Every structure is written in structure tokens, then in C-alpha cells.
Amino acid sequence: MSEKKHRTGAISRRGFLKALGVGSAGALVPAAPALAAQERVPAPSDGELATLLDLSKCIGCGACVEACRESNAAKFPEPVKPFPAMLPSRRAKPEDWSDLRDVDDRLTPYNWLFLQNAEVEYRGESYDINIPRRCMHCQNPPCANMCPFGAANKQVNGLTRISPNLCFGGAKCRTVCPWHIPQRQSGVGPYRHVLPRLAGNGVMYKCDRCYQLLDKGELPACIAACPEDVQTIGPRHEIVARAQALAKEMDGFIYGLEENGGTNTLYVSPVPFELINQAIDKDSGPGANRRAGKKSGQGKRKRSPLGPGKPHMGPVKDVMADEANLATAAFIAPVAGIAAGVLGLGSKLLNKGEGDHED
Amino acid sequence: MKTRPYPAWISRLFILLVAALTCTGFMQMPLAKRYALTTLPGMAWTGDFFLVHRIHYVLGTVLLFLVALVAVNWLKSWRNWLALTGLGLARAVVVGGLVVSGLLRVYRNLPGVTLDPTWILTIEWTHLILVMVLGVLALVALARRASAYAVRK
């Protein structure tokens, strides 16, 4: 199938467009504030905001990647070296991206958005799909729900943020994220001052949907900079309706509506995401083991020593669904306990053998 | 050991639940893999964050039932012939705080619930600090050989 692929532009479309100056649209984005002023984002009181990415429009120019870096540069880590010697050193290894700040073909603490490419054949036609990848901003995010320190949180406007002042960099958020999105930088954050050898390993970083711009009602940088209007942002119910209409119009497919119980990032594509997932360069999620195993000719998964940074696009069940079901039991339990006590069951149980009991 | 005027199974179940909850609670932190707990025979499950989280919920549910049952019986009759010890009262207050902050934690995790990050931080750290306080109080009670929560009036 790969031989039949339509290859024009696949190799250097990004470079070609950059050479033409289209790719540097991000640099021209002194126009962006003006655009943002015209097209303001609804206030958080309108509910959760979601983004829609029309993959049929993305030309892979990289303007969003550049704009993301510029907009968030002040948030990037400046680690103190040498890193604290951690215990046990064999298991707690530092992750250092500070000398690899230019890497833009995966997610890193210095690159919160990157482009994936999928060349797929569908219904006899070849498609060259470019996919801007960043945090999915789940509706019920496991990274936030399961962070033991409250460092990761979902905001009422639907975005998930990690506070660098609270994060110890244990990377649990990356483990429980179905796409393993957050990335770690060692040598920065509160662990250096609390228990540098024994607890923590840095701070986790990921897309925060340019909250500093959203708070002012402005568009996130990646949306404002896009020369092709790939992305749209708005109240989730409107974005969902728009995504469904767009999918119907192009006879296409939606990713993010059901995945992990629903996300605030919706992708619409003219080709099935199953095919995209098979074609993209990924190192996490369903099929990653099998794929890496086949490729390397080994049974063992081949992983980057700096953690996964290329998310998959496979199906994702709602990873917090069981917890939600158990929550019902937790809320019923005290009521049941009270009822049992009032009805006398408690008396029978608790007063049985009443008297002095050995500890 | 000092005798206590309420059934031993309550003490045993309570101690078992609190110990297991403390263990699964601390395993919410990414410690199991780093400190090789997962390599011990039969302990691999401690590295599965979702499994540990679910076990914590189940244990919490049983504790909530037990605490509610005991509280109702206390109000109905036990308070007439039992008196909380000083350490018993302190630990009861702490357990109450753990129950409330734990329930708020569960509420926070429900789909569709989004609390203010400051509230989340308060709930999170209250829960974490209270369990440490409970541990200290339990040690003091053990050292003083006065681990009973209540004694006969």
C-alpha cells in the first residue's frame, strides 16, 4: 500500500511552505492579537471550551508549533544543574530536555505541540493527513484526578493545567494519561527543596491551551497563528455540533467525542482514525508494543529513554469509569451504615458479646 | 493490654481498614516502582495506579459503612455508658476529617464535577496531612498503652 501512496509534499511540504513564507505565518502574528480581538473566545462562564481540528485543512506548515513555543516560552523550564543525585539511582533517572530544546518531532517539556503525519489509502484515494498533537484536555482527566498533590487540575473552562510550583515530577500523570502526553524535565520544581534525593524528579509539562491568553478572551496561539484555520474553539456543545456537521459533510470521522469518556479536543478527518493510527509514528498506546516489537524484531517494546512523546490515535476506553461507579458505592455506604444502625442491625452486631474485650 | 468495652471485631476491622487505606493511599504517590516494591513477590499490583485507586475506593466504602454504623450506635445507646478517651476523641475527629475530605475527593473525581483548584488543593492536602496526624496519634496511643477509643463511664 505504501507504494501507492500519494507522496507529493509528503517529504518537504513543511519546508516548502516555510520557504514560501507561509510557514512563517506564526512570525507574522503581530496580526494574531488583532485577529484575537475580532474573534474573542467566550468567557469560562459559558462552560467548557473545546477545540475542533479539521484535519482536511492542515497543510503541516508548522506555524502552530512555532506559535506555541513563542507563546509559552516564559513557562519553559530552566533547570539547575547538576541535578540532585537521586535514590535509588538505578530506578530514578533524570530526564533532561534542556539541551534538546529544538526537538519538534515529538512532545517535550519545550515542545507542547507537534505535527504527526499519516499517509493513508482510503476508498481508492490517497490522503496525506497532518495532525497537530497536544494535550487532549479530557473532560474527566485522569492526570488531574489521580495527581496525589493536586498539582494537575482541570479548570471550569475545560482545560487541564499542571502547576509547576506544586508538581514533583513523579510522572504519574504521564503514566495514567491514555496518550502519555505530559513530559518531564528534571532539575526544576519543588522537589529540589523538599526531598531532592528521595521524592520527585522534576516537573511535568504539557499544553495548557494558552490559559494566559484565554483568560483575556484571546485565542490560544496555535489557533490564532494557523494560516489555514484548521482549529476552532468555542463552547463544547457548539463545537460538538460543528464537528458532527463537518464529519457528515465530508463523510468523515471524529476523534475525541467518545475517547476517554470525551475530550475537549475533537479531530475531524476524512479517513478513519484506525487507518491514521496505523500510519502515524507513535510510541504509546494500543498496538505500540506490537508495532515496536515487529519493527525491531524483538519481543520487547522499544521505548525512548526520555519517555513516550508521540501519542497514538487508537480507541481509548473511559479510564476513570470504574472509579465513577465505585464513587456511587462510596456515597451510599454511609447512608447504608446509618440505615443499618437505625434499623437495629448495628445494635445486634455491635452489642453482641458486649462487655470487656481484649484489644 | 487494656480491655475495651466494645466488640473486638470492630477494633480489628477498623485497624485492618485504616492500615490498608493508608497503604493504598500512599501508593497513590509514584513510589512503588521507584522503590522496587513491585518486584517483591505478590506486590506487583502496587505499581498499577488504577487498581490501587479502585482498592482504595472499595476499602473507603467499607470504612464509611463501619463508621456510620458505629456513629449511629453511639448516638442511640453507647454514649449512655461509654466515654471517649482524650486520645479517642482526637482520633475520632481526625477520622471524621479523613472521611469528609475523602468523600470530597471522590466527589471531585466524578465526571462533570469541576471544583476550583484552590479547593482541590485544600481537600488534597487536608486528606494527606490528616492521615499523617492519625498515624502520630496512633503511635502515641500505643506508646501510652491507651489505644481504646472509649472506656466505660
Side-chain angles (χ1 to χ4, degrees), chain A residues 83-94:
Chain A
F83 299 141
M86 288 177 292
L87 288 173
S89 59
R90 203 167 56 85
R91 287 176 170 268
K93 294 189 169 114

Side-chain angles (χ1 to χ4, degrees), chain A residues 91 144 172 198 350 357 359, chain B residues 4 7 28 33 35 108:
Chain A
R91 287 176 170 268
K172 180 182 179 181
L198 299 171
L350 300 175
H357 299 263
D359 187 7
Chain B
R4 58 191 65 200
Q28 303 298 314
K33 277 188 184 160
Y35 290 104
R108 171 248 158 119

Side-chain angles (χ1 to χ4, degrees), chain A:
Chain A
M1 183 176 132
S2 60
E3 287 166 10
K4 293 180 186 171
K5 275 178 192 166
H6 177 64
R7 288 210 166 269
T8 46
I11 304 162
S12 62
R13 171 171 279 168
R14 192 170 160 190
F16 175 71
L17 289 166
K18 267 184 177 172
L20 285 178
V22 179
S24 59
L28 298 176
V29 181
L35 178 68
Q38 289 164 7
E39 196 184 330
R40 292 184 71 80
V41 180
S45 59
D46 292 328
E48 287 187 16
L49 297 171
T51 52
L52 163 63
L53 290 96
D54 181 351
L55 297 183
S56 69
K57 287 183 175 177
C58 184
I59 57 172
C61 69
C64 54
V65 180
E66 292 299 323
C68 174
R69 280 180 177 243
E70 282 177 30
S71 177
N72 296 304
K75 302 173 196 165
F76 292 161
E78 290 301 336
V80 178
K81 295 182 183 180
F83 299 141
M86 288 177 292
L87 288 173
S89 59
R90 203 167 56 85
R91 287 176 170 268
K93 294 189 169 114
E95 287 181 25
D96 183 17
W97 285 96
S98 59
D99 297 327
L100 300 165
R101 295 180 194 222
D102 292 336
V103 170
D104 66 354
D105 64 348
R106 57 162 285 167
L107 298 170
T108 81
Y110 302 88
N111 198 62
W112 300 354
L113 166 63
F114 82 110
L115 291 166
Q116 277 175 320
N117 181 262
E119 293 170 8
V120 294
E121 187 110 345
Y122 179 58
R123 288 181 179 164
E125 279 187 58
S126 291
Y127 291 84
D128 185 7
I129 307 283
N130 297 296
I131 316 145
R133 296 307 301 272
R134 52 165 169 75
C135 176
M136 298 290 287
H137 296 289
C138 303
Q139 288 201 284
N140 195 28
C143 63
N145 290 341
M146 295 183 75
C147 175
F149 305 111
N153 279 308
K154 181 185 154 189
Q155 294 187 179
V156 286
N157 61 355
L159 65 86
T160 306
R161 263 174 77 183
I162 300 172
S163 168
N165 299 322
L166 294 167
C167 178
F168 271 66
K172 180 182 179 181
C173 54
R174 181 169 66 196
T175 305
V176 298
C177 169
W179 296 275
H180 308 312
I181 300 278
Q183 297 298 316
R184 173 159 62 190
Q185 174 62 47
S186 299
V188 62
Y191 90 106
R192 291 181 53 250
H193 309 289
V194 183
L195 286 168
R197 287 172 71 82
L198 299 171
N201 193 356
V203 170
M204 306 305 294
Y205 293 89
K206 67 168 192 69
C207 156
D208 56 20
R209 220 163 60 182
C210 290
Y211 70 87
Q212 76 282 7
L213 298 176
L214 270 183
D215 286 351
K216 291 189 282 184
E218 293 175 14
L219 290 171
C222 60
I223 302 180
C226 180
E228 300 294 325
D229 289 330
V230 168
Q231 289 198 61
T232 320
I233 188 167
R236 191 171 195 276
H237 63 277
E238 285 179 21
I239 290 295
V240 168
R242 208 177 293 187
Q244 286 167 335
L246 182 63
K248 198 176 175 186
E249 189 186 308
M250 68 167 77
D251 196 17
F253 305 86
I254 307 176
Y255 190 80
L257 208 51
E258 306 292 338
E259 281 70 20
N260 197 25
T263 71
N264 283 324
T265 302
L266 303 178
Y267 291 95
V268 175
S269 159
V271 299
F273 284 96
E274 193 188 342
L275 296 180
I276 290 179
N277 189 46
Q278 285 166 10
I280 55 172
D281 178 18
K282 61 184 184 294
D283 57 18
S284 65
N289 286 333
R290 197 171 54 244
R291 191 167 171 268
K294 267 185 190 171
K295 227 178 171 182
S296 62
Q298 296 165 354
K300 212 175 176 185
R301 184 179 169 184
K302 194 179 171 186
R303 281 184 59 175
S304 160
L306 289 165
K310 296 178 179 179
H312 68 91
M313 243 176 175
V316 175
K317 68 179 180 98
D318 184 356
V319 295
M320 293 298 290
D322 286 348
E323 274 78 358
N325 293 335
L326 286 168
T328 311
F331 289 125
I332 291 171
V335 179
I338 292 168
V342 170
L343 291 173
L345 172 66
S347 303
K348 277 184 188 169
L349 280 172
L350 300 175
N351 296 334
K352 193 182 173 188
E354 188 181 295
D356 286 355
H357 299 263
E358 289 298 316
D359 187 7

